[in-house]
Amino acid sequence: DSGVTQTPKHLITATGQRVTLRCSPRSGDLSVYWYQQSLDQGLQFLIQYYNGEERAKGNILERFSAQQFPDLHSELNLSSLELGDSALYFCASSRTGRGGSGNTIYFGEGSWLTVV
Amino acid sequence: DAKTTQPTSMDCAEGRAANLPCNHSTISGNEYVYWYRQIHSQGPQYIIHGLKNNETNEMASLIITEDRKSSTLILPHATLRDTAVYYCIVRAPYNQGGKLIFGQGTELSVKP
């Protein structure tokens, strides 16, 4: 158990809908990262937050947005869903964004999203 | 982001050491090398990391060349449960958020 909690574990929704994925980081971790893994794309970095502020942005679509709340949990909002958004979405956390010991990035078990 | 190059796949006999190579020739002096693995569709699992020196923990050893342009992850006694995709990643510097950018990794198959 990495200590990173993601909900829901599985979600099935229709095209055009909107969903929210939730992530609770490890206790004491200030940095949260979101990744998308689809069959043909591998693990893609979406976005990172540090202590409530956006820190880095990757290949995140405009239909997607995220935020980190004062209690440090994070939500990834996916709207106007398309079939191609079906994927496994991972959240990860670390104490800070620095490398080295004490700042390892740990991943949750992911949220499976199926768009039908 | 410094890129890494890994073999697409490797086989290893159960009980033998698995040596997974990685090239990272564009790595900068303050960038760390991290190794993760992903078993089936589970969350990536942290294995080990290093900057300049060789490192060892309960899971594996990491050997980094003196010029830091390549490294090798060693699983000393591979078991069937070590079958997974192994990712070698140069972690982005702090001023770029310290994120991990995953490549395609090495698919390691441990065979009886």
Side-chain angles (χ1 to χ4, degrees), chain A residues 33 35 37 43 45 48 55-56 88 90 94 96-101 103-105 107-109 112, chain B residues 32 34 36 38 41-44 46 49 87 91-104:
Chain A
Y33 311 77
Y35 288 81
Q37 186 171 34
L43 271 157
F45 169 72
Q48 177 203 3
R55 191 80 171 86
L88 192 50
F90 289 107
S94 65
T96 73
R98 297 188 185 279
S101 299
N103 287 302
T104 299
I105 297 177
F107 285 77
E109 288 306 310
W112 277 100
Chain B
Y32 286 80
Y34 278 75
Y36 283 78
Q38 188 175 26
S41 293
Q42 297 177 21
Y46 165 78
H49 73 275
Y87 297 97
R91 187 171 180 179
Y94 177 66
N95 63 358
Q96 294 175 29
K99 59 189 180 290
L100 300 171
I101 301 298
F102 287 80
Q104 295 306 306

mmCIF file of all heavy atoms in Angstrom, chain A residues 33 35 37 43 45 48 55-56 88 90 94 96-101 103-105 107-109 112, chain B residues 32 34 36 38 41-44 46 49 87 91-104:
data_model
loop_
_atom_site.group_PDB
_atom_site.id
_atom_site.type_symbol
_atom_site.label_atom_id
_atom_site.label_comp_id
_atom_site.label_asym_id
_atom_site.label_seq_id
_atom_site.Cartn_x
_atom_site.Cartn_y
_atom_site.Cartn_z
ATOM 1 N N TYR A 33 0.603 14.544 -8.477
ATOM 2 C CA TYR A 33 0.792 14.398 -9.928
ATOM 3 C C TYR A 33 -0.348 13.548 -10.478
ATOM 4 O O TYR A 33 -0.762 12.577 -9.840
ATOM 5 C CB TYR A 33 2.107 13.678 -10.232
ATOM 6 C CG TYR A 33 3.331 14.215 -9.513
ATOM 7 C CD1 TYR A 33 3.557 13.911 -8.181
ATOM 8 C CD2 TYR A 33 4.275 14.989 -10.182
ATOM 9 C CE1 TYR A 33 4.681 14.380 -7.520
ATOM 10 C CE2 TYR A 33 5.414 15.449 -9.528
ATOM 11 C CZ TYR A 33 5.601 15.149 -8.190
ATOM 12 O OH TYR A 33 6.714 15.612 -7.538
ATOM 13 N N TYR A 35 -1.527 11.234 -13.919
ATOM 14 C CA TYR A 35 -1.075 10.554 -15.125
ATOM 15 C C TYR A 35 -2.247 9.825 -15.768
ATOM 16 O O TYR A 35 -3.176 9.391 -15.083
ATOM 17 C CB TYR A 35 0.004 9.518 -14.801
ATOM 18 C CG TYR A 35 1.344 10.112 -14.415
ATOM 19 C CD1 TYR A 35 1.573 10.572 -13.127
ATOM 20 C CD2 TYR A 35 2.370 10.204 -15.344
ATOM 21 C CE1 TYR A 35 2.791 11.116 -12.777
ATOM 22 C CE2 TYR A 35 3.604 10.743 -15.001
ATOM 23 C CZ TYR A 35 3.808 11.204 -13.711
ATOM 24 O OH TYR A 35 5.008 11.743 -13.369
ATOM 25 N N GLN A 37 -3.005 6.563 -18.428
ATOM 26 C CA GLN A 37 -2.422 5.427 -19.127
ATOM 27 C C GLN A 37 -3.489 4.760 -19.989
ATOM 28 O O GLN A 37 -4.416 4.152 -19.487
ATOM 29 C CB GLN A 37 -1.832 4.404 -18.160
ATOM 30 C CG GLN A 37 -1.084 3.281 -18.857
ATOM 31 C CD GLN A 37 -0.331 2.392 -17.894
ATOM 32 O OE1 GLN A 37 -0.764 2.161 -16.773
ATOM 33 N NE2 GLN A 37 0.827 1.878 -18.320
ATOM 34 N N LEU A 43 2.202 5.640 -20.157
ATOM 35 C CA LEU A 43 1.938 6.530 -19.025
ATOM 36 C C LEU A 43 2.261 7.958 -19.414
ATOM 37 O O LEU A 43 3.406 8.305 -19.659
ATOM 38 C CB LEU A 43 2.800 6.124 -17.827
ATOM 39 C CG LEU A 43 2.219 5.093 -16.894
ATOM 40 C CD1 LEU A 43 3.311 4.373 -16.121
ATOM 41 C CD2 LEU A 43 1.238 5.743 -15.932
ATOM 42 N N PHE A 45 2.142 12.011 -18.473
ATOM 43 C CA PHE A 45 2.024 12.996 -17.415
ATOM 44 C C PHE A 45 1.001 14.053 -17.821
ATOM 45 O O PHE A 45 1.046 14.593 -18.928
ATOM 46 C CB PHE A 45 3.384 13.650 -17.166
ATOM 47 C CG PHE A 45 3.340 14.855 -16.279
ATOM 48 C CD1 PHE A 45 3.097 14.719 -14.922
ATOM 49 C CD2 PHE A 45 3.531 16.129 -16.796
ATOM 50 C CE1 PHE A 45 3.050 15.828 -14.108
ATOM 51 C CE2 PHE A 45 3.483 17.245 -15.991
ATOM 52 C CZ PHE A 45 3.237 17.098 -14.640
ATOM 53 N N GLN A 48 0.711 18.650 -12.478
ATOM 54 C CA GLN A 48 1.227 18.547 -11.122
ATOM 55 C C GLN A 48 0.804 19.762 -10.316
ATOM 56 O O GLN A 48 0.815 20.891 -10.828
ATOM 57 C CB GLN A 48 2.755 18.470 -11.131
ATOM 58 C CG GLN A 48 3.384 18.424 -9.740
ATOM 59 C CD GLN A 48 4.815 18.893 -9.709
ATOM 60 O OE1 GLN A 48 5.348 19.322 -10.719
ATOM 61 N NE2 GLN A 48 5.460 18.823 -8.559
ATOM 62 N N ARG A 55 2.044 23.402 -10.725
ATOM 63 C CA ARG A 55 3.505 23.448 -10.757
ATOM 64 C C ARG A 55 4.067 23.079 -12.125
ATOM 65 O O ARG A 55 5.074 23.614 -12.553
ATOM 66 C CB ARG A 55 4.038 22.502 -9.693
ATOM 67 C CG ARG A 55 5.492 22.601 -9.412
ATOM 68 C CD ARG A 55 5.807 23.770 -8.504
ATOM 69 N NE ARG A 55 7.210 23.707 -8.079
ATOM 70 C CZ ARG A 55 8.213 24.211 -8.791
ATOM 71 N NH1 ARG A 55 7.974 24.775 -9.939
ATOM 72 N NH2 ARG A 55 9.444 24.109 -8.344
ATOM 73 N N ALA A 56 3.444 22.126 -12.769
ATOM 74 C CA ALA A 56 3.910 21.695 -14.085
ATOM 75 C C ALA A 56 2.725 21.141 -14.867
ATOM 76 O O ALA A 56 1.784 20.609 -14.291
ATOM 77 C CB ALA A 56 5.004 20.635 -13.971
ATOM 78 N N LEU A 88 -6.731 4.355 -17.730
ATOM 79 C CA LEU A 88 -6.441 4.258 -16.301
ATOM 80 C C LEU A 88 -5.805 5.577 -15.895
ATOM 81 O O LEU A 88 -4.854 6.033 -16.534
ATOM 82 C CB LEU A 88 -5.480 3.088 -16.078
ATOM 83 C CG LEU A 88 -5.206 2.567 -14.673
ATOM 84 C CD1 LEU A 88 -6.469 2.295 -13.921
ATOM 85 C CD2 LEU A 88 -4.347 1.315 -14.763
ATOM 86 N N PHE A 90 -3.878 7.651 -13.001
ATOM 87 C CA PHE A 90 -3.125 7.502 -11.767
ATOM 88 C C PHE A 90 -2.865 8.849 -11.127
ATOM 89 O O PHE A 90 -2.578 9.837 -11.803
ATOM 90 C CB PHE A 90 -1.763 6.844 -12.033
ATOM 91 C CG PHE A 90 -1.830 5.393 -12.386
ATOM 92 C CD1 PHE A 90 -1.593 4.968 -13.680
ATOM 93 C CD2 PHE A 90 -2.126 4.440 -11.418
ATOM 94 C CE1 PHE A 90 -1.646 3.630 -14.011
ATOM 95 C CE2 PHE A 90 -2.183 3.104 -11.738
ATOM 96 C CZ PHE A 90 -1.950 2.693 -13.032
ATOM 97 N N SER A 94 4.314 13.233 -3.644
ATOM 98 C CA SER A 94 5.636 13.277 -3.032
ATOM 99 C C SER A 94 5.664 14.441 -2.051
ATOM 100 O O SER A 94 4.823 15.342 -2.107
ATOM 101 C CB SER A 94 6.741 13.438 -4.088
ATOM 102 O OG SER A 94 6.639 14.692 -4.742
ATOM 103 N N THR A 96 7.900 16.897 -1.712
ATOM 104 C CA THR A 96 8.108 18.115 -2.487
ATOM 105 C C THR A 96 8.384 17.691 -3.923
ATOM 106 O O THR A 96 8.220 16.526 -4.263
ATOM 107 C CB THR A 96 9.318 18.920 -1.964
ATOM 108 O OG1 THR A 96 10.526 18.234 -2.349
ATOM 109 C CG2 THR A 96 9.293 19.071 -0.460
ATOM 110 N N GLY A 97 8.805 18.632 -4.757
ATOM 111 C CA GLY A 97 9.144 18.286 -6.135
ATOM 112 C C GLY A 97 10.615 18.026 -6.323
ATOM 113 O O GLY A 97 11.082 17.855 -7.444
ATOM 114 N N ARG A 98 11.368 17.971 -5.230
ATOM 115 C CA ARG A 98 12.814 17.769 -5.351
ATOM 116 C C ARG A 98 13.132 16.288 -5.493
ATOM 117 O O ARG A 98 12.401 15.437 -5.014
ATOM 118 C CB ARG A 98 13.537 18.316 -4.127
ATOM 119 C CG ARG A 98 13.379 19.812 -3.965
ATOM 120 C CD ARG A 98 14.265 20.335 -2.847
ATOM 121 N NE ARG A 98 14.023 21.748 -2.607
ATOM 122 C CZ ARG A 98 14.547 22.727 -3.334
ATOM 123 N NH1 ARG A 98 15.370 22.443 -4.322
ATOM 124 N NH2 ARG A 98 14.285 23.984 -3.051
ATOM 125 N N GLY A 99 14.246 16.005 -6.131
ATOM 126 C CA GLY A 99 14.704 14.625 -6.217
ATOM 127 C C GLY A 99 15.380 14.212 -4.937
ATOM 128 O O GLY A 99 15.578 15.021 -4.037
ATOM 129 N N GLY A 100 15.738 12.967 -4.864
ATOM 130 C CA GLY A 100 16.505 12.499 -3.727
ATOM 131 C C GLY A 100 15.674 11.848 -2.650
ATOM 132 O O GLY A 100 14.443 11.774 -2.731
ATOM 133 N N SER A 101 16.362 11.365 -1.649
ATOM 134 C CA SER A 101 15.703 10.634 -0.568
ATOM 135 C C SER A 101 14.713 11.528 0.169
ATOM 136 O O SER A 101 14.941 12.717 0.351
ATOM 137 C CB SER A 101 16.758 10.108 0.407
ATOM 138 O OG SER A 101 17.628 9.219 -0.258
ATOM 139 N N ASN A 103 11.855 12.321 -0.925
ATOM 140 C CA ASN A 103 10.955 12.967 -1.877
ATOM 141 C C ASN A 103 10.539 12.028 -2.988
ATOM 142 O O ASN A 103 10.245 12.451 -4.108
ATOM 143 C CB ASN A 103 11.612 14.204 -2.471
ATOM 144 C CG ASN A 103 11.677 15.327 -1.480
ATOM 145 O OD1 ASN A 103 10.656 15.760 -0.959
ATOM 146 N ND2 ASN A 103 12.871 15.782 -1.174
ATOM 147 N N THR A 104 10.510 10.753 -2.675
ATOM 148 C CA THR A 104 10.093 9.759 -3.651
ATOM 149 C C THR A 104 8.644 9.977 -4.044
ATOM 150 O O THR A 104 7.818 10.377 -3.219
ATOM 151 C CB THR A 104 10.269 8.349 -3.065
ATOM 152 O OG1 THR A 104 11.645 8.159 -2.764
ATOM 153 C CG2 THR A 104 9.796 7.280 -4.028
ATOM 154 N N ILE A 105 8.347 9.737 -5.303
ATOM 155 C CA ILE A 105 6.976 9.829 -5.800
ATOM 156 C C ILE A 105 6.332 8.450 -5.690
ATOM 157 O O ILE A 105 6.863 7.466 -6.198
ATOM 158 C CB ILE A 105 6.954 10.303 -7.270
ATOM 159 C CG1 ILE A 105 7.548 11.711 -7.369
ATOM 160 C CG2 ILE A 105 5.538 10.279 -7.809
ATOM 161 C CD1 ILE A 105 7.648 12.233 -8.792
ATOM 162 N N PHE A 107 2.748 6.138 -6.181
ATOM 163 C CA PHE A 107 1.543 6.101 -7.004
ATOM 164 C C PHE A 107 0.400 5.381 -6.310
ATOM 165 O O PHE A 107 0.615 4.414 -5.573
ATOM 166 C CB PHE A 107 1.826 5.376 -8.329
ATOM 167 C CG PHE A 107 2.621 6.204 -9.303
ATOM 168 C CD1 PHE A 107 3.983 6.375 -9.143
ATOM 169 C CD2 PHE A 107 1.991 6.819 -10.378
ATOM 170 C CE1 PHE A 107 4.723 7.155 -10.031
ATOM 171 C CE2 PHE A 107 2.717 7.588 -11.282
ATOM 172 C CZ PHE A 107 4.073 7.750 -11.103
ATOM 173 N N GLY A 108 -0.808 5.852 -6.608
ATOM 174 C CA GLY A 108 -1.988 5.124 -6.195
ATOM 175 C C GLY A 108 -2.287 3.986 -7.153
ATOM 176 O O GLY A 108 -1.534 3.763 -8.116
ATOM 177 N N GLU A 109 -3.374 3.275 -6.914
ATOM 178 C CA GLU A 109 -3.720 2.113 -7.726
ATOM 179 C C GLU A 109 -4.553 2.467 -8.959
ATOM 180 O O GLU A 109 -4.849 1.613 -9.763
ATOM 181 C CB GLU A 109 -4.447 1.076 -6.881
ATOM 182 C CG GLU A 109 -3.532 0.363 -5.889
ATOM 183 C CD GLU A 109 -2.327 -0.253 -6.590
ATOM 184 O OE1 GLU A 109 -2.522 -0.970 -7.603
ATOM 185 O OE2 GLU A 109 -1.178 -0.027 -6.131
ATOM 186 N N TRP A 112 -10.038 3.361 -13.045
ATOM 187 C CA TRP A 112 -10.346 2.892 -14.398
ATOM 188 C C TRP A 112 -11.567 3.645 -14.900
ATOM 189 O O TRP A 112 -12.637 3.561 -14.319
ATOM 190 C CB TRP A 112 -10.687 1.398 -14.377
ATOM 191 C CG TRP A 112 -9.539 0.470 -14.399
ATOM 192 C CD1 TRP A 112 -8.985 -0.193 -13.356
ATOM 193 C CD2 TRP A 112 -8.804 0.052 -15.561
ATOM 194 N NE1 TRP A 112 -7.950 -0.999 -13.777
ATOM 195 C CE2 TRP A 112 -7.816 -0.856 -15.142
ATOM 196 C CE3 TRP A 112 -8.882 0.365 -16.921
ATOM 197 C CZ2 TRP A 112 -6.917 -1.448 -16.019
ATOM 198 C CZ3 TRP A 112 -7.982 -0.232 -17.795
ATOM 199 C CH2 TRP A 112 -7.013 -1.130 -17.333
ATOM 200 N N TYR B 32 18.336 13.140 -10.855
ATOM 201 C CA TYR B 32 18.359 11.803 -10.298
ATOM 202 C C TYR B 32 17.840 10.781 -11.309
ATOM 203 O O TYR B 32 16.924 11.067 -12.089
ATOM 204 C CB TYR B 32 17.486 11.726 -9.046
ATOM 205 C CG TYR B 32 18.077 12.391 -7.829
ATOM 206 C CD1 TYR B 32 18.009 13.763 -7.662
ATOM 207 C CD2 TYR B 32 18.681 11.628 -6.834
ATOM 208 C CE1 TYR B 32 18.547 14.372 -6.539
ATOM 209 C CE2 TYR B 32 19.213 12.222 -5.699
ATOM 210 C CZ TYR B 32 19.145 13.595 -5.560
ATOM 211 O OH TYR B 32 19.669 14.187 -4.448
ATOM 212 N N TYR B 34 15.696 7.410 -11.485
ATOM 213 C CA TYR B 34 14.723 6.636 -10.725
ATOM 214 C C TYR B 34 14.326 5.390 -11.529
ATOM 215 O O TYR B 34 14.248 5.420 -12.750
ATOM 216 C CB TYR B 34 13.444 7.455 -10.479
ATOM 217 C CG TYR B 34 13.541 8.414 -9.319
ATOM 218 C CD1 TYR B 34 14.257 9.600 -9.427
ATOM 219 C CD2 TYR B 34 12.906 8.130 -8.121
ATOM 220 C CE1 TYR B 34 14.340 10.479 -8.356
ATOM 221 C CE2 TYR B 34 12.978 9.003 -7.038
ATOM 222 C CZ TYR B 34 13.696 10.172 -7.168
ATOM 223 O OH TYR B 34 13.779 11.038 -6.107
ATOM 224 N N TYR B 36 11.217 2.498 -11.605
ATOM 225 C CA TYR B 36 9.898 2.044 -11.177
ATOM 226 C C TYR B 36 9.562 0.789 -11.966
ATOM 227 O O TYR B 36 10.132 0.520 -13.022
ATOM 228 C CB TYR B 36 8.821 3.103 -11.470
ATOM 229 C CG TYR B 36 8.805 4.259 -10.519
ATOM 230 C CD1 TYR B 36 9.750 5.280 -10.630
ATOM 231 C CD2 TYR B 36 7.854 4.353 -9.509
ATOM 232 C CE1 TYR B 36 9.746 6.341 -9.752
ATOM 233 C CE2 TYR B 36 7.838 5.417 -8.621
ATOM 234 C CZ TYR B 36 8.791 6.409 -8.751
ATOM 235 O OH TYR B 36 8.787 7.471 -7.874
ATOM 236 N N GLN B 38 5.951 -1.644 -13.171
ATOM 237 C CA GLN B 38 4.513 -1.731 -13.203
ATOM 238 C C GLN B 38 4.134 -3.164 -13.522
ATOM 239 O O GLN B 38 4.488 -3.694 -14.583
ATOM 240 C CB GLN B 38 3.913 -0.780 -14.229
ATOM 241 C CG GLN B 38 2.395 -0.708 -14.140
ATOM 242 C CD GLN B 38 1.799 0.319 -15.067
ATOM 243 O OE1 GLN B 38 2.369 0.658 -16.101
ATOM 244 N NE2 GLN B 38 0.636 0.845 -14.703
ATOM 245 N N SER B 41 -1.615 -3.911 -14.639
ATOM 246 C CA SER B 41 -2.137 -2.539 -14.662
ATOM 247 C C SER B 41 -2.206 -1.931 -13.269
ATOM 248 O O SER B 41 -3.028 -1.062 -12.998
ATOM 249 C CB SER B 41 -3.510 -2.533 -15.309
ATOM 250 O OG SER B 41 -3.415 -2.860 -16.655
ATOM 251 N N GLN B 42 -1.310 -2.372 -12.401
ATOM 252 C CA GLN B 42 -1.257 -1.794 -11.062
ATOM 253 C C GLN B 42 -0.530 -0.447 -11.127
ATOM 254 O O GLN B 42 0.074 -0.099 -12.146
ATOM 255 C CB GLN B 42 -0.517 -2.731 -10.111
ATOM 256 C CG GLN B 42 -1.198 -4.064 -9.918
ATOM 257 C CD GLN B 42 -0.385 -4.999 -9.028
ATOM 258 O OE1 GLN B 42 0.466 -4.559 -8.258
ATOM 259 N NE2 GLN B 42 -0.641 -6.289 -9.142
ATOM 260 N N GLY B 43 -0.569 0.300 -10.071
ATOM 261 C CA GLY B 43 0.160 1.561 -10.004
ATOM 262 C C GLY B 43 1.654 1.316 -10.066
ATOM 263 O O GLY B 43 2.149 0.331 -9.521
ATOM 264 N N PRO B 44 2.406 2.186 -10.755
ATOM 265 C CA PRO B 44 3.854 2.032 -10.777
ATOM 266 C C PRO B 44 4.421 1.968 -9.359
ATOM 267 O O PRO B 44 4.013 2.728 -8.488
ATOM 268 C CB PRO B 44 4.318 3.286 -11.517
ATOM 269 C CG PRO B 44 3.158 3.663 -12.384
ATOM 270 C CD PRO B 44 1.948 3.310 -11.574
ATOM 271 N N TYR B 46 7.708 2.155 -6.901
ATOM 272 C CA TYR B 46 9.070 2.676 -6.754
ATOM 273 C C TYR B 46 10.030 1.540 -6.408
ATOM 274 O O TYR B 46 9.708 0.672 -5.586
ATOM 275 C CB TYR B 46 9.104 3.736 -5.658
ATOM 276 C CG TYR B 46 10.496 4.084 -5.171
ATOM 277 C CD1 TYR B 46 11.327 4.920 -5.919
ATOM 278 C CD2 TYR B 46 10.977 3.576 -3.984
ATOM 279 C CE1 TYR B 46 12.597 5.238 -5.475
ATOM 280 C CE2 TYR B 46 12.255 3.885 -3.526
ATOM 281 C CZ TYR B 46 13.050 4.721 -4.275
ATOM 282 O OH TYR B 46 14.308 5.026 -3.846
ATOM 283 N N HIS B 49 16.460 4.769 -6.429
ATOM 284 C CA HIS B 49 16.930 5.932 -7.157
ATOM 285 C C HIS B 49 18.377 6.220 -6.798
ATOM 286 O O HIS B 49 18.876 5.734 -5.764
ATOM 287 C CB HIS B 49 16.053 7.159 -6.893
ATOM 288 C CG HIS B 49 16.232 7.753 -5.516
ATOM 289 N ND1 HIS B 49 15.546 7.289 -4.413
ATOM 290 C CD2 HIS B 49 17.025 8.750 -5.084
ATOM 291 C CE1 HIS B 49 15.897 7.996 -3.362
ATOM 292 N NE2 HIS B 49 16.794 8.878 -3.721
ATOM 293 N N TYR B 87 10.741 0.741 -15.655
ATOM 294 C CA TYR B 87 10.970 2.065 -16.213
ATOM 295 C C TYR B 87 12.181 2.720 -15.565
ATOM 296 O O TYR B 87 12.258 2.811 -14.332
ATOM 297 C CB TYR B 87 9.760 2.970 -15.991
ATOM 298 C CG TYR B 87 8.489 2.520 -16.663
ATOM 299 C CD1 TYR B 87 7.531 1.796 -15.968
ATOM 300 C CD2 TYR B 87 8.244 2.829 -17.998
ATOM 301 C CE1 TYR B 87 6.353 1.397 -16.575
ATOM 302 C CE2 TYR B 87 7.072 2.443 -18.610
ATOM 303 C CZ TYR B 87 6.121 1.719 -17.894
ATOM 304 O OH TYR B 87 4.964 1.333 -18.505
ATOM 305 N N ARG B 91 14.474 12.044 -13.379
ATOM 306 C CA ARG B 91 13.465 12.923 -12.799
ATOM 307 C C ARG B 91 13.753 14.376 -13.156
ATOM 308 O O ARG B 91 14.890 14.832 -13.052
ATOM 309 C CB ARG B 91 13.428 12.749 -11.286
ATOM 310 C CG ARG B 91 12.288 13.493 -10.616
ATOM 311 C CD ARG B 91 12.154 13.112 -9.165
ATOM 312 N NE ARG B 91 11.058 13.834 -8.536
ATOM 313 C CZ ARG B 91 10.709 13.680 -7.260
ATOM 314 N NH1 ARG B 91 11.381 12.822 -6.491
ATOM 315 N NH2 ARG B 91 9.718 14.383 -6.753
ATOM 316 N N ALA B 92 12.709 15.088 -13.548
ATOM 317 C CA ALA B 92 12.876 16.494 -13.921
ATOM 318 C C ALA B 92 13.405 17.292 -12.734
ATOM 319 O O ALA B 92 13.093 16.981 -11.578
ATOM 320 C CB ALA B 92 11.535 17.070 -14.381
ATOM 321 N N PRO B 93 14.180 18.323 -13.004
ATOM 322 C CA PRO B 93 14.704 19.151 -11.907
ATOM 323 C C PRO B 93 13.579 19.838 -11.150
ATOM 324 O O PRO B 93 12.453 19.950 -11.637
ATOM 325 C CB PRO B 93 15.580 20.192 -12.625
ATOM 326 C CG PRO B 93 15.687 19.768 -14.026
ATOM 327 C CD PRO B 93 14.612 18.776 -14.311
ATOM 328 N N TYR B 94 13.920 20.318 -9.990
ATOM 329 C CA TYR B 94 12.927 20.944 -9.116
ATOM 330 C C TYR B 94 12.234 22.121 -9.793
ATOM 331 O O TYR B 94 11.029 22.311 -9.654
ATOM 332 C CB TYR B 94 13.610 21.407 -7.829
ATOM 333 C CG TYR B 94 12.682 22.121 -6.885
ATOM 334 C CD1 TYR B 94 11.623 21.444 -6.285
ATOM 335 C CD2 TYR B 94 12.860 23.465 -6.593
ATOM 336 C CE1 TYR B 94 10.769 22.087 -5.415
ATOM 337 C CE2 TYR B 94 12.008 24.117 -5.727
ATOM 338 C CZ TYR B 94 10.968 23.425 -5.139
ATOM 339 O OH TYR B 94 10.126 24.070 -4.277
ATOM 340 N N ASN B 95 12.985 22.919 -10.570
ATOM 341 C CA ASN B 95 12.363 24.088 -11.208
ATOM 342 C C ASN B 95 11.429 23.700 -12.353
ATOM 343 O O ASN B 95 10.769 24.563 -12.934
ATOM 344 C CB ASN B 95 13.431 25.072 -11.698
ATOM 345 C CG ASN B 95 14.320 24.471 -12.765
ATOM 346 O OD1 ASN B 95 14.168 23.296 -13.129
ATOM 347 N ND2 ASN B 95 15.252 25.255 -13.280
ATOM 348 N N GLN B 96 11.362 22.415 -12.665
ATOM 349 C CA GLN B 96 10.392 21.925 -13.642
ATOM 350 C C GLN B 96 9.372 21.017 -12.962
ATOM 351 O O GLN B 96 8.671 20.251 -13.615
ATOM 352 C CB GLN B 96 11.101 21.171 -14.761
ATOM 353 C CG GLN B 96 11.988 22.067 -15.607
ATOM 354 C CD GLN B 96 12.779 21.278 -16.634
ATOM 355 O OE1 GLN B 96 12.340 20.226 -17.083
ATOM 356 N NE2 GLN B 96 13.940 21.783 -17.005
ATOM 357 N N GLY B 97 9.316 21.111 -11.658
ATOM 358 C CA GLY B 97 8.302 20.379 -10.904
ATOM 359 C C GLY B 97 8.728 19.020 -10.380
ATOM 360 O O GLY B 97 8.004 18.408 -9.606
ATOM 361 N N GLY B 98 9.880 18.550 -10.816
ATOM 362 C CA GLY B 98 10.337 17.253 -10.325
ATOM 363 C C GLY B 98 9.465 16.095 -10.762
ATOM 364 O O GLY B 98 9.390 15.060 -10.101
ATOM 365 N N LYS B 99 8.797 16.249 -11.889
ATOM 366 C CA LYS B 99 7.888 15.199 -12.356
ATOM 367 C C LYS B 99 8.678 14.039 -12.962
ATOM 368 O O LYS B 99 9.859 14.152 -13.270
ATOM 369 C CB LYS B 99 6.928 15.776 -13.395
ATOM 370 C CG LYS B 99 7.638 16.362 -14.619
ATOM 371 C CD LYS B 99 6.678 17.101 -15.507
ATOM 372 C CE LYS B 99 7.370 17.693 -16.732
ATOM 373 N NZ LYS B 99 8.262 18.818 -16.382
ATOM 374 N N LEU B 100 7.974 12.931 -13.145
ATOM 375 C CA LEU B 100 8.539 11.763 -13.828
ATOM 376 C C LEU B 100 7.912 11.670 -15.213
ATOM 377 O O LEU B 100 6.697 11.713 -15.346
ATOM 378 C CB LEU B 100 8.222 10.491 -13.050
ATOM 379 C CG LEU B 100 8.739 10.402 -11.619
ATOM 380 C CD1 LEU B 100 8.147 9.176 -10.922
ATOM 381 C CD2 LEU B 100 10.256 10.332 -11.604
ATOM 382 N N ILE B 101 8.738 11.534 -16.221
ATOM 383 C CA ILE B 101 8.248 11.311 -17.581
ATOM 384 C C ILE B 101 8.612 9.886 -17.970
ATOM 385 O O ILE B 101 9.795 9.546 -18.079
ATOM 386 C CB ILE B 101 8.858 12.321 -18.571
ATOM 387 C CG1 ILE B 101 8.509 13.753 -18.157
ATOM 388 C CG2 ILE B 101 8.367 12.029 -19.993
ATOM 389 C CD1 ILE B 101 7.035 14.067 -18.145
ATOM 390 N N PHE B 102 7.604 9.073 -18.181
ATOM 391 C CA PHE B 102 7.810 7.658 -18.462
ATOM 392 C C PHE B 102 8.058 7.432 -19.944
ATOM 393 O O PHE B 102 7.391 8.017 -20.788
ATOM 394 C CB PHE B 102 6.581 6.853 -18.037
ATOM 395 C CG PHE B 102 6.433 6.700 -16.551
ATOM 396 C CD1 PHE B 102 5.907 7.734 -15.789
ATOM 397 C CD2 PHE B 102 6.808 5.529 -15.917
ATOM 398 C CE1 PHE B 102 5.777 7.604 -14.419
ATOM 399 C CE2 PHE B 102 6.681 5.388 -14.543
ATOM 400 C CZ PHE B 102 6.161 6.432 -13.796
ATOM 401 N N GLY B 103 9.012 6.555 -20.234
ATOM 402 C CA GLY B 103 9.209 6.067 -21.597
ATOM 403 C C GLY B 103 8.457 4.762 -21.760
ATOM 404 O O GLY B 103 7.465 4.517 -21.062
ATOM 405 N N GLN B 104 8.940 3.921 -22.662
ATOM 406 C CA GLN B 104 8.260 2.656 -22.936
ATOM 407 C C GLN B 104 8.688 1.551 -21.982
ATOM 408 O O GLN B 104 8.001 0.548 -21.838
ATOM 409 C CB GLN B 104 8.521 2.212 -24.376
ATOM 410 C CG GLN B 104 7.919 3.162 -25.396
ATOM 411 C CD GLN B 104 6.440 3.398 -25.153
ATOM 412 O OE1 GLN B 104 5.646 2.458 -25.064
ATOM 413 N NE2 GLN B 104 6.047 4.654 -25.012
#
